C-alpha cells in the first residue's frame, strides 16, 4: 500500500524555523517527483513546492520562494521542507503528495498524506 | 501570477448532473487534475490528465477540457459526493509551478 506520513508540525514564533518530514512507503520513492501542498484553516489548497526524482530540479510558489527549501533523501525514502523566516500566514496543514507519473515533473499528484499542522504564532 | 478560476459553489439535487468549471489561460497546453476533499480529510484524485479516471473512482465522475476551460462532471450526483472540489494544473511558462483553483463547494440535497 502506498503511504505518506508527514511529521514535524508544531507551534513556532514568527521569524522562526521548522523542518517538516514525509516518510514514504509502498512505492519506488526515487522514481517520482514529490510535492508539498498546504491548506490554511478554512481555506483552499495552495501548492507550495516540488522536487524532481533526483533532487536536481526544485520549484516554489512565490509566497515561499527564498524562505522554504524542499529536499529529499532517496536512501531514506524521505521528503523534507525546511521552513525559515516563518510568518503568521504560513499557518496551515501541510501535505506531502506523490506525483502521478515518472515521465515529467509537471504531473499532478495521486497520493496524499494526512498532513502535519504548522502554527505560526507569538 | 497564474490563476485557475472556479465557481465558489454548485448545488444540485440527488440524481442530477453537477458540472464544475475551471478556467485558466494555460489549460489549452497543460493538463487539468481534479481533487475531491471531504471535511477533515485529505484530498483524493478523481480525474487526471483532463479526462482520465483513476481506478476506484465511480464512473459518474468524468472530465473534459476545451480551450481555456476544464470541466468536472458528476452524472447522477449522490449525497456522498458532497465535498469541496479543486482543479490543479501548472503554469505554462518555464517555471513549472503548480496552481490550484480556489475550490468549489458542491452541495447535494
Amino acid at each position: 500500500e502506498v503511504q505518506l506520513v508527514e511529521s514535524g508540525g508544531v507551534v513556532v514564533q514568527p521569524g522562526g524555523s521548522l523542518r517538516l518530514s514525509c516518510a514514504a512507503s509502498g512505492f519506488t520513492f526515487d522514481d517520482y517527483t514529490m510535492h508539498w501542498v498546504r491548506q490554511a484553516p478554512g481555506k483552499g489548497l495552495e501548492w507550495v513546492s516540488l522536487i524532481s526524482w533526483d533532487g536536481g530540479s526544485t520549484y516554489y510558489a512565490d509566497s515561499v520562494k527564498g524562505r522554504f527549501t524542499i529536499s529529499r533523501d532517496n536512501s531514506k525514502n524521505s521528503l523534507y521542507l525546511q521552513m525559515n523566516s516563518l510568518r503568521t500566514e504560513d499557518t496551515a496543514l501541510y501535505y506531502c503528495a506523490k506525483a502521478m507519473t515518472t515521465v515529467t515533473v509537471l504531473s499532478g499528484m495521486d497520493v496524499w498524506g494526512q498532513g502535519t499542522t504548522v502554527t505560526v504564532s507569538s | 501570477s497564474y490563476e485557475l478560476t472556479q465557481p465558489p459553489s454548485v448545488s444540485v439535487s440527488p440524481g442530477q448532473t453537477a458540472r464544475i468549471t475551471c478556467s485558466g489561460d494555460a489549460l489549452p497546453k497543460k493538463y487539468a487534475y481534479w481533487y475531491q476533499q471531504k471535511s477533515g480529510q485529505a484530498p483524493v484524485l478523481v480525474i487526471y490528465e483532463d479526462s482520465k479516471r483513476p481506478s476506484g473512482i465511480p464512473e459518474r465522475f468524468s472530465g473534459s477540457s476545451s480551450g481555456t476551460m476544464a470541466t468536472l462532471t458528476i452524472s447522477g450526483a449522490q449525497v456522498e459526493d458532497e465535498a469541496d472540489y479543486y482543479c490543479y494544473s501548472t503554469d505554462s511558462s518555464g517555471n513549472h509551478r503548480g496552481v490550484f483553483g480556489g475550490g468549489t463547494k458542491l452541495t447535494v440535497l
Side-chain angles (χ1 to χ4, degrees):
Chain A
E1 179 193 4
V2 176
Q3 195 169 15
L4 299 170
V5 179
E6 302 92 336
S7 62
V10 293
V11 179
V12 61
Q13 291 189 339
S17 297
L18 194 59
R19 188 174 89 152
L20 305 183
S21 300
C22 172
S25 60
F27 65 102
T28 305
F29 181 71
D30 55 12
D31 277 351
Y32 290 89
T33 291
M34 296 293 294
H35 298 255
W36 286 101
V37 176
R38 69 184 181 183
Q39 188 168 33
K43 302 296 184 182
L45 301 174
E46 180 186 14
W47 178 83
V48 173
S49 183
L50 73 80
I51 186 167
S52 60
W53 65 274
D54 62 351
S57 297
T58 58
Y59 301 96
Y60 299 91
D62 287 343
S63 58
V64 306
K65 194 170 184 179
R67 300 187 299 122
F68 290 10
T69 302
I70 191 171
S71 63
R72 65 192 297 160
D73 185 338
N74 288 344
S75 69
K76 296 181 179 179
N77 287 355
S78 293
L79 175 72
Y80 306 102
L81 186 67
Q82 178 66 42
M83 310 165 67
N84 297 333
S85 303
L86 282 161
R87 305 168 180 169
T88 54
E89 55 264 38
D90 295 319
T91 294
L93 181 63
Y94 284 74
Y95 294 102
C96 71
K98 167 189 165 290
M100 189 155 188
T101 76
T102 61
V103 173
T104 169
V105 297
L106 301 178
S107 166
M109 316 85 170
D110 63 345
V111 178
W112 298 60
Q114 289 301 307
T116 188
T117 299
V118 173
T119 303
V120 184
S121 174
S122 55
Chain B
S1 61
Y2 184 52
E3 293 183 353
L4 296 173
T5 302
Q6 298 180 234
S9 63
V10 168
S11 183
V12 298
S13 299
Q16 289 189 325
T17 296
R19 292 182 179 86
I20 299 172
T21 59
C22 172
S23 65
D25 290 341
L27 289 178
K29 303 176 186 176
K30 301 296 183 182
Y31 284 127
Y33 296 74
W34 289 94
Y35 297 91
Q36 176 194 68
Q37 187 180 35
K38 296 183 178 180
S39 181
Q41 298 183 18
V44 172
L45 178 69
V46 294
I47 293 291
Y48 67 99
E49 293 178 359
D50 293 343
S51 59
K52 299 175 183 177
R53 192 174 55 249
S55 61
I57 300 301
E59 290 184 8
R60 63 180 179 272
F61 288 86
S62 64
S64 63
S65 187
S66 178
T68 60
M69 185 169 289
T71 303
L72 172 68
T73 301
I74 308 172
S75 303
Q78 306 296 308
V79 172
E80 60 263 31
D81 299 331
E82 188 163 292
D84 293 322
Y85 291 84
Y86 296 89
C87 60
Y88 170 86
S89 189
T90 50
D91 198 330
S92 64
S93 65
N95 58 30
H96 299 323
R97 291 174 189 167
V99 61
F100 285 95
T104 299
K105 170 64 178 179
L106 174 66
T107 301
V108 183
L109 52 76

